[in-house]
Amino acid sequence: MRSMEVDMIRTLETDKAPKPLSAYAQGIEIPPGHRVVHVSGQVGVTLDGQIPADPARQHELAWENALAVLAAAGMDHTHIVDAHCYITERSHLGIYRATRDRFLKGHRPAATLLIVAGLADERLVVEVDLVAAAGAAGPAT
């Protein structure tokens, strides 16, 4: 097993499990004493509640909204240890990956992608939820 340590949070990689299909880690280990933040599912909705018809814009908004919640905890994309994304159309896979990669800027958390039949509002095409961690002496809330 190989691992990389960044701020004591370890990215786990092993040859005994399949390699990731895109830019995510096989696993992440958070040591004791770290702050952990869970960001509820965020969707592609504007601050005034509008749902854009454009799937690419919804993907951008979902990530912007999730990162805004994370920022409220004093964290940024580098603190994400697990990202879950739900999309309603397999044809949006390229949009999902390009948008995720742009917002994560090379950071590789553990991740799960599910293609689902629908979300809370039938106009929504994407939802993102996050788990982030920082050292106990890290960013304050």
Side-chain angles (χ1 to χ4, degrees):
M1 179 171 30
R2 193 180 74 169
S3 68
M4 298 176 288
E5 293 189 30
V6 177
D7 187 32
M8 299 291 295
I9 294 173
R10 295 187 333 145
T11 300
L12 306 174
E13 296 180 14
T14 180
D15 293 333
K16 296 183 184 209
K19 297 290 182 212
L21 298 174
S22 66
Y24 60 90
Q26 288 175 310
I28 301 288
E29 180 181 5
I30 304 169
H34 274 61
R35 294 176 48 236
V36 177
V37 172
H38 294 262
V39 176
S40 295
Q42 299 297 308
V43 293
V45 176
T46 63
L47 291 177
D48 63 356
Q50 298 299 308
I51 301 173
D54 177 30
R57 182 65 183 132
Q58 281 197 40
H59 278 258
E60 289 173 355
L61 283 166
W63 279 97
E64 286 173 8
N65 294 338
L67 289 172
V69 175
L70 196 57
M75 296 183 187
D76 63 25
H77 71 282
T78 64
H79 295 98
I80 299 169
V81 296
D82 198 5
H84 302 148
C85 190
Y86 311 89
I87 63 176
T88 60
E89 299 287 334
R90 186 175 303 277
S91 63
H92 296 169
L93 187 58
I95 296 170
Y96 154 73
R97 285 185 175 152
T99 306
R100 175 204 60 199
D101 292 353
R102 186 165 22 98
F103 279 92
L104 293 181
K105 303 173 187 174
H107 180 66
R108 293 179 50 223
T112 299
L113 169 66
L114 294 173
I115 300 169
V116 298
L119 297 170
D121 183 302
E122 65 185 14
R123 297 171 294 167
L124 294 169
V125 301
V126 61
E127 185 165 338
V128 174
D129 69 69
L130 305 172
V131 178
T141 56

